Amino acid sequence: MLKRIITGVVAAGLLALVCIFANGIVFSIVFGLLALLGVYEMLGCIGARRNFAIALCMYAMTILSVVLVHTVSRHSLYITTFAGILFCVLLILFASAVFSEGRVPVDKVCIAFTTCAYVITGFISIILLRDMRMGKYIYLLAFIGPWISDTFAYFTGMLLGKHKLIPSVSPKKTIEGSIGGIVFCMVGCIVYGYVAKSISGGAAEFHVVFLALLGLLISVVSQVGDLIFSLIKRRYDIKDYGFIFPSHGGVLDRFDSVIATAPLILIACESLAKMNLM
């Protein structure tokens, strides 16, 4: 338990240092490396790490996606370029399956592409969130929201939990805990909005209804994201995705909820920005 606590405090401290002091390029490099480690762990989980055709394509897709953020992220070609990268990688993977005479199984290609693209999209969304207007306040919700949701879901479930949520995927999660996580996440996002407004001198101002709805969505998606990675672990019969964080597992074990919520926050904020509501 002590080792777990120490690891958690050190990891949280390092993340805080990156979030507070890192400039745009350093921030992107750090989260790009986390994305690369996440892809590495996922390939190991599904048994595709030693299949070089699949592994090299996934690593290349990760690196190109991070580089893309600093080349055309503010340009109208961003979505087209990103979609082009995904398509080209997928085409190469399927071509490898066609010409490999069975050495590159087509089912493993599909699993590797979908799971790794999911991981990459989550980390890329964090980088993009930080780069948008009021981004240095907005992107923190991708960490704070899931943390509040997970923490209070745990304690609410421990105190009041009687009905299992999805025992076949995660035996310890309860419906009561899930509801508690949602309620406290909504409250937490509203409180964070007032804190951000105070710290920024009014520059970062979010409508309370928006924060409440965002808190609701963050908590729901955060819990689903956690369950998704739990389901994959159960399917491939592993305890942890990695070991980079002693007693905590790997990157995917620690960032499972963040990976799911970051794209949601990005979509919500981009939609408001386009409507001139933010």
Side-chain angles (χ1 to χ4, degrees), residues 151-162 172 174 176-177:
T151 301
F152 284 97
Y154 172 78
F155 285 113
T156 306
M158 187 172 62
L159 293 172
L160 305 174
K162 293 182 179 180
K172 295 182 180 180
T174 64
E176 292 81 3

Side-chain angles (χ1 to χ4, degrees), residues 161-236:
K162 293 182 179 180
H163 303 88
K164 298 297 182 182
L165 185 62
I166 309 178
S168 60
V169 177
S170 186
K172 295 182 180 180
K173 294 187 185 301
T174 64
I175 294 174
E176 292 81 3
S178 176
I179 294 171
I182 291 171
V183 171
F184 280 100
C185 187
M186 292 173 70
V187 174
C189 285
I190 292 172
V191 172
Y192 175 77
Y194 285 109
V195 172
K197 181 180 179 180
S198 176
I199 293 174
S200 67
E205 186 172 2
F206 308 97
H207 197 284
V208 66
V209 175
F210 168 72
L211 289 169
L213 290 175
L214 191 61
L216 169 65
L217 291 173
I218 285 175
S219 183
V220 171
V221 174
S222 168
Q223 293 180 50
V224 172
D226 186 10
L227 290 168
I228 288 171
F229 280 104
S230 295
L231 178 64
I232 295 172
K233 284 198 290 189
R234 283 187 170 273
R235 166 63 180 81
Y236 290 96

